[in-house]
Amino acid sequence: ETAARALVDTLGHGSVVQADLADESAVDALFADSAPTLVVHNAAAQPVAALGDMSFEDWRDMMATNLDSAFLVTQRAALAWISAGRPGAIVNIGSTEALDPAAGHAHYATSKAGLLMLTRAAALEFGSSNIRVNCVSPGLTDREGLARDWPDGVRRWLDRVPLGRLGSPNDVADAVLFLLSPAARFISGANLVVDGGMSAHSKW
């Protein structure tokens, strides 16, 4: 909440609302109180667990946070726009792991792969109502303390990424802004990979 309010203060306008996006009734209440014109779905968790050690509860928690929430937000936003006779645009935040999973991330990668298909399905079904749905899939994106917390991963990324650096939050934000903007008015069902060219590498 503190970070969200600080962002609104920086922007100079807006409001802060809160809901458990994996809870159907909470999402319904959220949309009853607000009427967004654009939606970015970025609710996610990324715990690490070996597939053989993972509990079913771990699996279900991941799907609820990363995928169920996207279904609820996408559906409710689209239905609200259709009811109001308005166009709309949604961008889901995916991951390059949807196509290239890492060890210990089976549940995370599966949830993000499902998010890609949800994005395409929503684009197909809601397109006739002038609602666009796209996905942005970042690669390794820098944050405070990342190099300290995961030095091996950062080093391996920097050794291979064609553009020679980590992604930044602004790299991802600019891709989202493009897909939400009129510049992307004829783009729907797309997955824009923001990974500095890492996915261009041969896998063998």
Side-chain angles (χ1 to χ4, degrees), residues 50-72:
L51 186 57
D53 298 332
M54 192 182 302
S55 70
F56 185 60
E57 183 178 6
D58 292 336
W59 176 270
R60 284 300 317 141
D61 284 347
M62 179 69 77
M63 297 305 148
T65 300
N66 292 9
L67 193 52
D68 294 354
S69 63
F71 161 75
L72 290 170

Side-chain angles (χ1 to χ4, degrees), residues 95-173:
S95 170
T96 55
E97 286 200 43
L99 304 174
D100 191 17
H105 288 182
H107 47 354
Y108 175 78
T110 299
S111 72
K112 292 301 187 178
L115 183 63
L116 289 186
M117 188 52 66
L118 174 64
T119 297
R120 294 177 62 189
L124 175 65
E125 296 200 25
F126 296 133
S128 61
S129 298
N130 201 20
I131 294 170
R132 299 185 301 107
V133 188
N134 291 292
C135 189
V136 168
S137 288
L140 189 59
T141 304
D142 203 7
R143 60 166 173 79
E144 184 177 352
L146 179 63
R148 178 196 65 235
D149 297 340
W150 197 35
D152 177 61
V154 170
R155 178 188 56 77
R156 286 187 285 112
W157 176 272
L158 293 176
D159 285 345
R160 287 179 54 80
V161 63
L163 291 186
R165 64 175 177 86
L166 298 175
S168 75
N170 282 342
D171 294 329
V172 180

Side-chain angles (χ1 to χ4, degrees), residues 21-111:
L21 298 184
D23 183 294
E24 184 175 16
S25 60
V27 174
D28 285 337
L30 177 67
F31 279 94
D33 291 339
S34 59
T37 56
L38 303 166
V39 169
V40 180
H41 179 272
N42 191 32
Q46 193 184 23
V48 177
L51 186 57
D53 298 332
M54 192 182 302
S55 70
F56 185 60
E57 183 178 6
D58 292 336
W59 176 270
R60 284 300 317 141
D61 284 347
M62 179 69 77
M63 297 305 148
T65 300
N66 292 9
L67 193 52
D68 294 354
S69 63
F71 161 75
L72 290 170
V73 169
T74 296
Q75 185 192 62
R76 268 42 173 201
L79 292 178
W81 291 329
I82 292 168
S83 177
R86 293 171 43 196
I90 298 170
V91 173
N92 292 313
I93 304 300
S95 170
T96 55
E97 286 200 43
L99 304 174
D100 191 17
H105 288 182
H107 47 354
Y108 175 78
T110 299
S111 72

